[in-house]
Amino acid sequence: MTEHTLVGWDGSAVARRAAEWATHRALATGEPITLIQVVAPGPAGADDVTLIRAVESAEDEAISIRQRYPVLDVRSEVLVGEPLADLRACSDEHRLLAVGTDELGTTSRTSGWSLGSRLAASCSGPVAVIPQVAAGERHGVVLGIENREEDRPAIELAAREAIAREEPLHVVHAWHQPTAAGARGLNPEFIAWLGDAHTTALSEAVERIERDFPEVSLQQHLSEGWPADALHAFAGSATALVVGTRGRGAVLRFFLGSTSHQLLLTIDAPTIVVPRRPVSTPDDEAPR
């Protein structure tokens, strides 16, 4: 579990949605919340009137949340700068950053370059992207795993989310048959072996979660197909979907891994993207 929740705030309906999600999450986790609004610098941005309005907007929302839920620790903060850079600078492994999005279940020309997608691709800590979800009761935390060790941060966050919310954790692992250009078909014995290997990988991951988090109620799901499709099938009614993403450097850090990117392009559940932990190999170790 993280120790603090940050909400990207600008007074819009999208930001209010993120604040509402963060509020309900904080009621389960007990984490403090900070609403952060970033005002652009320059004569057209950070003039006195704009700053005053930003401070009032963020603090008014913080006051409203505190009045409705006196048990919560809710604060506000206004920064002068560029939203992507400043919000990214606030991110670390102990703080979850929540931002809203207008996307819901459909791909648009702009969704791949939304603030939420860019933050999820470049932050050093977990980022929750909150869409306008369809009406109806939601229950359960869905965790998509690819590599047990690389996905350890996502596994730990998802398990603690499920425990705090007193909801089941659905562990989903998907795989698809490899394809080869010009090949008539792959050896059935190889496909069967591959399926068994993925079954074993999922079982081992679940066993470790059960050992590390005995309080969690677990359900495991192995799916043959593309990971994003499998996760969408479970996420439509979930409280939260948790997935890992590999860190990027320089220019490439603005692009997510294929699965997490596809999930955010067609987002249909509050989605928490967690940076993966690189798995060290002997070649990575410095000579002794």
Side-chain angles (χ1 to χ4, degrees), residues 25 54 64 90 106 132 201 252 255 265:
R25 177 178 181 271
S64 174
C90 294
T106 57
Q132 181 179 0
L252 290 182
F255 297 92
L265 283 176

Short mmCIF file of all heavy atoms in Angstrom, two decimals, residues 25 54 64 90 106 132 201 252 255 265:
data_model
loop_
_atom_site.label_atom_id
_atom_site.label_comp_id
_atom_site.label_asym_id
_atom_site.label_seq_id
_atom_site.Cartn_x
_atom_site.Cartn_y
_atom_site.Cartn_z
N ARG A 25 -11.23 5.65 -1.82
CA ARG A 25 -10.08 4.78 -1.56
C ARG A 25 -9.47 5.10 -0.21
O ARG A 25 -9.11 4.21 0.57
CB ARG A 25 -9.04 4.95 -2.67
CG ARG A 25 -7.77 4.14 -2.45
CD ARG A 25 -6.81 4.32 -3.61
NE ARG A 25 -5.61 3.52 -3.42
CZ ARG A 25 -4.53 3.93 -2.78
NH1 ARG A 25 -4.50 5.17 -2.26
NH2 ARG A 25 -3.48 3.14 -2.64
N ALA A 54 -7.01 29.48 -8.35
CA ALA A 54 -6.53 28.11 -8.22
C ALA A 54 -6.47 27.69 -6.77
O ALA A 54 -6.89 26.58 -6.40
CB ALA A 54 -5.16 27.99 -8.88
N SER A 64 -14.58 20.71 1.28
CA SER A 64 -15.79 19.94 1.04
C SER A 64 -15.60 18.47 1.41
O SER A 64 -16.47 17.85 2.05
CB SER A 64 -16.19 20.05 -0.44
OG SER A 64 -17.28 19.22 -0.74
N CYS A 90 6.29 14.96 -8.42
CA CYS A 90 5.69 14.62 -7.12
C CYS A 90 5.57 13.11 -6.92
O CYS A 90 5.26 12.66 -5.81
CB CYS A 90 4.29 15.24 -7.01
SG CYS A 90 4.27 17.04 -6.97
N THR A 106 -13.62 3.52 -25.58
CA THR A 106 -13.43 3.72 -27.01
C THR A 106 -12.10 4.41 -27.26
O THR A 106 -11.66 5.23 -26.46
CB THR A 106 -14.55 4.58 -27.62
OG1 THR A 106 -14.61 5.83 -26.92
CG2 THR A 106 -15.90 3.89 -27.50
N GLN A 132 -14.85 7.94 -16.57
CA GLN A 132 -16.26 8.02 -16.20
C GLN A 132 -16.86 6.65 -16.45
O GLN A 132 -17.21 6.29 -17.56
CB GLN A 132 -16.98 9.08 -17.04
CG GLN A 132 -18.45 9.23 -16.68
CD GLN A 132 -19.14 10.31 -17.49
OE1 GLN A 132 -18.51 10.95 -18.32
NE2 GLN A 132 -20.42 10.49 -17.27
N ALA A 201 3.25 -21.04 -14.04
CA ALA A 201 3.70 -19.70 -13.68
C ALA A 201 2.63 -18.97 -12.88
O ALA A 201 2.92 -18.30 -11.87
CB ALA A 201 4.05 -18.90 -14.94
N LEU A 252 11.47 7.56 -25.04
CA LEU A 252 10.60 6.39 -25.00
C LEU A 252 9.81 6.27 -23.72
O LEU A 252 8.88 5.48 -23.64
CB LEU A 252 11.44 5.12 -25.20
CG LEU A 252 12.01 4.92 -26.60
CD1 LEU A 252 12.77 3.61 -26.67
CD2 LEU A 252 10.89 4.92 -27.63
N PHE A 255 5.94 6.34 -23.77
CA PHE A 255 5.15 5.27 -24.37
C PHE A 255 5.11 4.08 -23.44
O PHE A 255 6.14 3.58 -23.00
CB PHE A 255 5.75 4.87 -25.72
CG PHE A 255 5.73 5.99 -26.73
CD1 PHE A 255 6.81 6.85 -26.84
CD2 PHE A 255 4.61 6.20 -27.52
CE1 PHE A 255 6.78 7.90 -27.75
CE2 PHE A 255 4.59 7.26 -28.42
CZ PHE A 255 5.67 8.11 -28.54
N LEU A 265 -6.06 3.12 -23.58
CA LEU A 265 -6.72 3.61 -24.79
C LEU A 265 -8.21 3.30 -24.77
O LEU A 265 -9.02 4.07 -25.28
CB LEU A 265 -6.09 2.96 -26.03
CG LEU A 265 -4.73 3.50 -26.50
CD1 LEU A 265 -4.22 2.69 -27.68
CD2 LEU A 265 -4.83 4.97 -26.88
#
